[in-house]
């Protein structure tokens, strides 16, 4: 089949609906994703249930079930227990707590909302972090009677860690403190002081009573001293888009290679940031090869311009070997390619971190084998201070150095969620053991420097670091022993040479050369052997991925 | 920079999920149940892999009690799009005489749908199955992951679900394990209809009001789609203007009285409605936790 006819066939595959391009919806509303979090019994589920009810997202038949369940499991006496609207699992209803994230949907004429109701119990922190990771804004509940609790601060920290920059602090149960303004003001001041270091762009405080609906959807008559908007009105009008993202270079992680026939070879993925148009000069990372964008297919068909968030398939002007895990980027603004990462980890597994163990890392569409070579410290969530740690247990947050078996394109998490957020997966149990957040790179890369070279330098450094081992570790002790052993063998060789030549100078020279070069040659050979093994292992693994990536 | 609308964001997310499965699973399949959600899912799949075709077949688990108009649209759609369609019927169930009238909704759904689905997935060795379920449908579904891991015997463990931060789906699985994948997780019923209207996606005519033969059973109008539905004493078949908000097996799906004959009417009616779409589904009402139990047993 000729290229032309293949392309024609390719473009005439029918779509189920014969609809127009969906650039202009009937009602173009924006979408706000937010989470509610806070300590146990702060009334998160009650608040969500109340909003769902008052925005008409609860139907009559569901209300019937709710009234029945309120009598059976409820904690509000004869009143409707709105928490039962969201606590969907039997175990949750029986225990009266939220275990897992529940996603709920409602809309007003202004906006569509997706809300993640997240658990308050510390043991379910990973579920809370999951809900927060996709949120644009967090509503943090505080019980007015209790003020800030450890869990309030922990959640605020995790919310900031996963990249949420807009926070609403809903001070709940105001009815139980006599709607006292002084209580409200004190909690506001405490919260501002406690979270000053977290870098939130905006914090809004609202006094509410979720149970009675004060300041939830309507202004409270009991708290006339509060001059701000009720919670729902704030959520309808708040703006959260990060204006800095307009100026970022295009980043398209290649998710899948679309090759329906010999005439078409496209690279599919969602544009993580920036914009793309046909003719743009692009680089492929990690290889660093360059090309230009030929065509862009968006959901609505072929387009002349694509912006961040869109699901695309692009073709390039020349044939380059690209597979899943590669990243197509603006050639002038390339993210660094690294084989060693400085990162924060939020540990999500009951099995603690094992330094030196290999984990599977997934960052955007890239997969690599990762080893935590150094655990620098863990972070105390109440004081935000670093504390020394031997390992990370479930819900711990720590700063680590990670060595990878192959170079990948990354950006600091603060600059890019997509190229800075990753997960670690246990290779045997397949459990997701950690969420990771890339921090500013150690090997400062320049936009124009050859990424290959930076990659190699970082690779050598990380391999050396891996070989020497972290302070106090068995590997470090072994290294020290080996160096001492080399000293002894060097000295023995020197003595032998002196015995044979009776020349002190020659003996010292031979001993010194042996002492310096032997470990170097041995280390280099060991690192080389390791690199060859990893590359071979990597190639075997990639081969199987390519088969899938090409859509067979 | 053009900010994406709410529907464009949902569309991009669903396409991402569809591609992620094809890139990481060996043998995916799309569970095509012919309803409006399946129609949207299939439409998105056509877009995700354009200019090629979706690299997976469609699977319909036929309980033999679907509306005739559904079966007609199913066959027409598969032929028109040129996609492989696998129709699976649990013949053991048919031989045992299972049907929604004599056996009851619970046994019929378990044998013909849940067991039938497991048979089909096992027979073809599918390791990932797309479904059109949405989190807004039902409380248990609100807690389900996008990539929902099932054990070798298809069981769901709601207390041990993998976290899904950002859009990083952990797609690792052991031999025999499989995923149920829900690209429409974050869509609502309103989003589905808005998208159908926007993209002009064909749906089963039963969603639109028309004069149809129905009988009153409890609170629901049951359509007499063929003469397998025996009339109970005192029941009379009437012709009424009715339509369906949700489509399942015809004796188990209640119609609503309606004059909504166009998409615009349907959307307007839905916005004004005071009851949820699954109200017409008999199987959901077997007890408050019943969907959770069915899902643990392997129901979609």
């Amino acid at each position: 089949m000729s290229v032309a006819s293949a392309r024609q066939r390719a473009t005439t595959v029918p779509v189920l609906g014969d609809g127009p391009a969906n650039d202009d919806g009937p009602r173009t509303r924006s979408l706000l994703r937010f989470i509610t979090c806070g300590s146990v019994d702060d009334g998160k589920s009650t608040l969500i249930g109340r909003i769902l009810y008052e925005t008409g997202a609860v139907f009559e038949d569901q209300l019937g079930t709710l009234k029945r369940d309120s009598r059976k499991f409820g904690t509000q006496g004869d009143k409707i227990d709105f928490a039962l609207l969201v606590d969907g699992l039997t175990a949750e209803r029986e225990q009266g707590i939220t275990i897992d994230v529940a996603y709920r949907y409602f809309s007003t004429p202004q906006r569509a909302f997706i809300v993640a109701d997240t658990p308050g119990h510390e043991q379910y922190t990973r579920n809370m972090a999951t809900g927060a990771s996709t949120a644009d804004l967090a509503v943090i509940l505080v019980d007015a009677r209790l003020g800030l609790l450890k869990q309030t601060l922990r959640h605020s920290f995790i919310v900031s860690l996963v990249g949420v920059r807009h926070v609403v602090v809903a001070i709940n149960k105001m009815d139980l403190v006599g709607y006292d303004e002084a209580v409200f003001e004190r909690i506001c001041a405490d919260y501002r002081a406690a979270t000053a270091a977290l870098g939130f762009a905006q914090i809004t405080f609202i006094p509410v009573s979720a149970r009675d609906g004060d300041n939830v959807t309507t202004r409270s008559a009991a708290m006339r001293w509060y001059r701000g908007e009720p919670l729902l009105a704030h959520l309808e009008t708040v703006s959260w888009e990060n204006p800095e993202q307009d100026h970022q270079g295009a980043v398209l992680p290649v998710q899948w290679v679309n090759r329906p026939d010999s005439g078409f070879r496209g690279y599919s993925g969602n544009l993580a940031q920036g914009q793309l148009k046909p003719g743009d000069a692009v680089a492929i990372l990690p290889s660093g090869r360059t090309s230009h964008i030929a065509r862009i297919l968006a959901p609505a068909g072929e387009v002349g311009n694509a912006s961040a968030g869109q699901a695309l398939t692009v073709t390039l002007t020349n044939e380059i070997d690209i597979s899943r895990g590669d990243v197509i980027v603006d050639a002038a603004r390339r993210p660094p390619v690294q084989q060693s990462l400085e990162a924060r980890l939020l540990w999500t597994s009951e099995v603690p971190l094992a330094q030196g163990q290999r984990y599977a890392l997934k960052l955007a569409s890239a997969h690599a084998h990762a080893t935590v070579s150094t655990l620098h410290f863990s972070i105390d969530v109440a004081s935000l201070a670093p504390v020394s740690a031997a390992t990370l247990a479930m819900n711990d947050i720590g700063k680590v150095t990670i060595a990878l078996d192959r170079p990948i394109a990354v950006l600091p998490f603060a600059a890019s969620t997509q190229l800075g957020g990753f997960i670690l997966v246990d290779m045997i149990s397949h459990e997701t053991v950690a969420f990771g957040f890339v921090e500013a790179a150690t090997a400062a890369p320049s936009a124009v420097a050859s990424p290959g070279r930076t990659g190699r330098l970082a690779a050598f450094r990380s391999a050396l670091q891996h070989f020497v081992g972290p302070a106090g570790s068995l590997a470090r002790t072994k290294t020290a022993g080996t160096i001492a052993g080399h000293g002894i063998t060097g000295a023995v060789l020197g003595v032998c040479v002196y015995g044979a030549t009776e020349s002190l100078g020659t003996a010292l020279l031979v001993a010194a050369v042996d002492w310096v070069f032997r470990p170097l040659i041995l280390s280099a050979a060991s690192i080389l052997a390791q690199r060859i093994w990893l590359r071979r292992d990597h190639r075997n693994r990639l081969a199987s991925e390519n088969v899938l990536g090409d859509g067979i | 920079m053009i900010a994406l609308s709410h529907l464009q964001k949902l569309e991009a997310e669903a396409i991402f999920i569809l591609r992620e499965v094809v890139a990481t699973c060996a043998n995916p399949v799309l569970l095509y149940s012919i309803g409006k959600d399946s129609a949207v899912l299939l439409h998105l799949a056509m877009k995700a892999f354009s200019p090629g075709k979706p690299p997976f077949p469609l699977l319909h688990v036929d309980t033999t009690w679907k509306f005739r108009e559904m079966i007609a649209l199913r066959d027409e759609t598969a032929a028109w799009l040129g996609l492989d369609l696998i129709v699976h019927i649990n013949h053991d169930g048919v031989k045992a005489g299972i049907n929604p009238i004599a056996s009851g909704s619970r046994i019929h759904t378990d044998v013909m749908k849940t067991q039938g689905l497991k048979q089909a997935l096992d027979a073809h060795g599918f390791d990932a199955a797309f479904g059109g379920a949405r989190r807004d449908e039902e409380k248990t579904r609100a807690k389900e992951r996008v990539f929902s891991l099932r054990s070798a015997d298809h069981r769901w463990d709601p207390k041990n679900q993998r976290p899904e931060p950002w859009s990083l789906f952990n797609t690792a699985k052991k031999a025999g394990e499989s995923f149920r994948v829900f690209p429409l997780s974050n869509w609502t019923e309103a989003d589905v209809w808005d998208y159908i209207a926007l993209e002009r996606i064909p749906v089963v005519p039963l969603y639109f009001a028309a004069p149809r033969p129905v009988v009153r059973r409890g609170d629901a109008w049951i359509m007499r789609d063929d003469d397998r539905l025996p009339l109970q004493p005192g029941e009379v078949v009437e012709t009424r203007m009715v339509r369906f908000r949700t489509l399942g097996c015809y004796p188990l799906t209640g119609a609503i009285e309606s004059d909504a004959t166009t998409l615009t009417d349907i959307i307007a009616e839905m916005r004004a409605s005071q009851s949820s779409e699954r109200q017409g589904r008999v199987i959901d009402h077997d007890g408050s936790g019943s969907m959770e139990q069915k899902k643990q047993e392997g129901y979609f």
Side-chain angles (χ1 to χ4, degrees), chain A residues 137-387:
Chain A
L137 176 146
V139 176
I140 297 174
L141 271 92
V142 177
D143 186 326
R145 297 169 303 174
L146 305 174
L148 303 191
L149 299 173
K150 191 180 174 196
Q151 195 66 341
T152 318
L153 298 174
R154 164 181 278 276
H155 281 179
S156 300
F157 179 49
I158 289 169
V159 156
S160 77
L161 184 71
V162 301
V164 177
R165 299 173 67 246
H166 293 259
V167 168
V168 174
V169 180
I171 298 167
N172 191 23
K173 307 195 183 178
M174 287 301 291
D175 51 319
L176 300 181
V177 295
Y179 304 104
D180 187 353
E181 185 178 5
V183 172
F184 174 74
E185 290 297 340
R186 183 172 51 73
I187 294 175
C188 295
D190 288 353
Y191 189 85
R192 275 203 196 89
T195 59
L198 296 183
F200 290 128
Q202 186 192 29
I203 308 177
T204 306
F205 297 92
I206 306 178
V208 301
S209 165
R211 201 187 59 178
D212 301 328
D214 291 74
N215 284 337
V216 178
T217 56
T218 51
R219 205 171 280 279
S220 165
M223 291 179 276
R224 294 199 186 280
W225 47 264
Y226 172 70
R227 307 208 175 278
E229 290 170 313
L231 178 61
L232 185 64
H234 177 73
L235 296 176
E236 280 178 320
T237 51
V238 66
S239 82
W240 72 93
E241 303 277 8
N242 188 353
E244 289 161 30
Q245 299 209 329
D246 280 8
H247 308 291
Q248 291 173 330
V251 169
L252 179 67
V254 176
Q255 195 186 4
W256 185 67
V257 180
N258 189 345
R259 220 174 44 189
D261 52 52
S262 58
F264 186 91
R265 189 181 178 88
Y267 307 100
S268 300
N270 286 22
L271 190 61
Q273 61 183 46
Q275 300 192 46
L276 269 187
K277 57 182 189 305
D280 280 357
V282 291
I284 317 307
L285 300 180
S287 73
R289 293 196 188 90
T290 55
S291 184
H292 290 85
I293 299 286
R295 301 169 62 196
I296 302 177
L297 304 181
E302 189 150 355
V303 292
N305 190 7
S307 55
Q310 282 189 294
L312 308 176
T313 298
V314 302
T315 65
L316 301 179
T317 49
N318 54 334
E319 292 240 341
I320 302 184
D321 178 27
I322 301 177
S323 50
R324 175 177 165 84
D326 290 343
V327 186
I328 298 173
V329 300
D330 181 346
R333 283 176 285 185
R334 301 178 188 190
V337 171
Q338 293 175 216
Q339 197 158 359
S340 162
L341 305 176
E342 296 299 313
R344 286 183 183 196
L345 292 182
L346 165 61
W347 202 256
T348 57
S349 169
E350 284 176 12
V351 183
L353 163 70
Q355 285 184 66
Q357 184 183 319
R358 287 209 300 173
Y359 296 100
L361 173 140
K362 186 179 186 190
L363 184 148
S365 57
H367 292 257
H369 288 171
T371 311
V372 175
S373 50
T374 314
L375 169 60
H376 300 286
F377 51 81
S378 77
I379 297 164
D380 179 69
V381 292
S383 64
L384 305 180
V387 286

Side-chain angles (χ1 to χ4, degrees), chain B residues 94-121:
Chain B
V94 174
K95 263 187 231 141
I98 303 291
N99 70 65
I101 295 148
S103 324
S105 68
R106 193 165 196 142
I107 290 172
H108 170 75
T109 305
D110 178 55
V111 174
M112 298 307 291
K113 261 175 113 168
T114 310
Q115 303 306 325
L117 175 64
K118 288 190 206 173
Q119 287 170 353
L121 295 178

